[in-house]
Amino acid sequence: RRRVLAAAIEFIDEHGLEALTMRRMGAHLGVEGMALYRHVTGRDDLLDGVVELVVDELYGDPEVYLLPQHGWQDYLQRLAHGVRRIALAHPAVFPLIATRPPAAPWVRPPLRSLRWLESFLEALTTHGGAAVAAYRAYTGFLLGHLLLEVSQRGVPISPLDDPEATPAADGGPLDQYPHVRRLQPLLSEDESVAEFEESLENLLERLQRVLRESRRPGSIS
């Protein structure tokens, strides 16, 4: 099963998600498509396994710690960068992490793993209920930023996205939009790394305030 899932990731990386069928996967592995059903029950099971295997790459990342070794801020920074490395290594796979059913419906993307959820809560366990608020804010930031980043690389985020489409300004030439035309060079610059770092730092500062408030006498935790 693991070989089939790894091959599916490789196929999606090369050809995109829409091209994936059981028949094509069989051809990719040099077997009949029906032979795959010994390992997966169908395309949905295959995609669920792909998400699980991709998220599991975090365990092999030497820069990511399952438990906080140098404080919760360091733990969250390392985890965020690990998830980003996965998104950039498998941009066509990453949107699946946002949509595939998790092990439990309250496990939020992109940390589609009960083990990583447990690890996250363990890192912030002394802060009681604020750990849940931190988890929601953290996963919301990661998912929003990384989906935007992979979409900028031409990955369709929804079936309506067309990576081959040519952007057009609402029915008129660019000359009708002088500010857009003047600032086009700046708008075209790829500042993804700087934006990620700045947003992550701002998030961690906000979480520090939230967690500090949760530890004050009389606060609910």
Side-chain angles (χ1 to χ4, degrees):
R1 177 181 169 88
R2 189 175 183 87
R3 182 188 170 208
V4 170
L5 297 178
I9 295 171
E10 181 182 83
F11 183 95
I12 296 171
D13 284 343
E14 184 176 352
H15 303 289
L17 178 60
E18 295 302 316
L20 180 69
T21 65
M22 298 297 282
R23 180 180 59 80
R24 289 172 179 163
M25 266 302 304
H28 184 69
L29 285 165
V31 299
E32 292 292 329
M34 292 299 295
L36 301 181
Y37 288 93
R38 292 199 296 268
H39 309 286
V40 293
T41 59
R43 190 175 187 270
D44 282 345
D45 186 34
L46 180 66
L47 295 180
D48 288 344
V50 162
V51 169
E52 182 181 353
L53 195 59
V54 167
V55 173
D56 278 353
E57 290 186 14
L58 285 171
Y59 299 117
D61 189 329
E63 297 298 319
V64 177
Y65 300 151
L66 185 60
L67 296 174
Q69 299 183 19
H70 307 290
W72 65 266
Q73 293 97 330
D74 177 76
Y75 166 85
L76 293 185
Q77 282 185 319
R78 289 176 177 276
L79 182 57
H81 282 285
V83 175
R84 183 171 183 265
R85 281 190 285 273
I86 287 175
L88 298 184
H90 309 290
V93 174
F94 190 75
L96 278 176
I97 297 176
T99 58
R100 299 308 299 173
W106 28 263
V107 179
R108 293 164 61 101
L111 298 179
R112 291 294 206 198
S113 164
L114 286 171
R115 188 176 177 189
W116 278 108
L117 173 56
E118 181 70 13
S119 170
F120 186 102
L121 297 177
E122 173 70 19
L124 285 79
T125 188
T126 59
H127 300 281
V132 174
Y135 168 70
R136 289 172 177 160
Y138 183 80
T139 51
F141 155 74
L142 275 182
L143 186 64
H145 184 98
L146 295 177
L147 281 176
L148 176 61
E149 190 165 356
V150 299
S151 73
Q152 290 173 337
R153 294 169 178 252
V155 174
I157 302 303
S158 79
L160 299 179
D161 289 341
D162 181 3
E164 303 299 327
T166 302
D170 297 338
L174 205 58
D175 289 344
Q176 295 182 17
Y177 307 93
H179 294 301
V180 175
R181 185 181 70 250
R182 178 173 58 86
L183 296 174
Q184 183 179 3
L186 291 176
L187 293 169
S188 302
E189 289 181 1
D190 184 359
E191 296 290 341
S192 300
V193 175
E195 290 173 357
F196 184 82
E197 292 288 355
E198 182 178 356
S199 298
L200 180 58
E201 287 178 9
N202 291 337
L203 172 67
L204 293 179
E205 289 176 4
R206 181 159 63 90
L207 292 183
Q208 190 167 27
R209 291 195 298 271
V210 170
L211 298 175
R212 188 186 303 122
E213 289 290 330
S214 75
R215 302 183 70 174
R216 289 183 177 176
S219 64
I220 298 175
S221 62

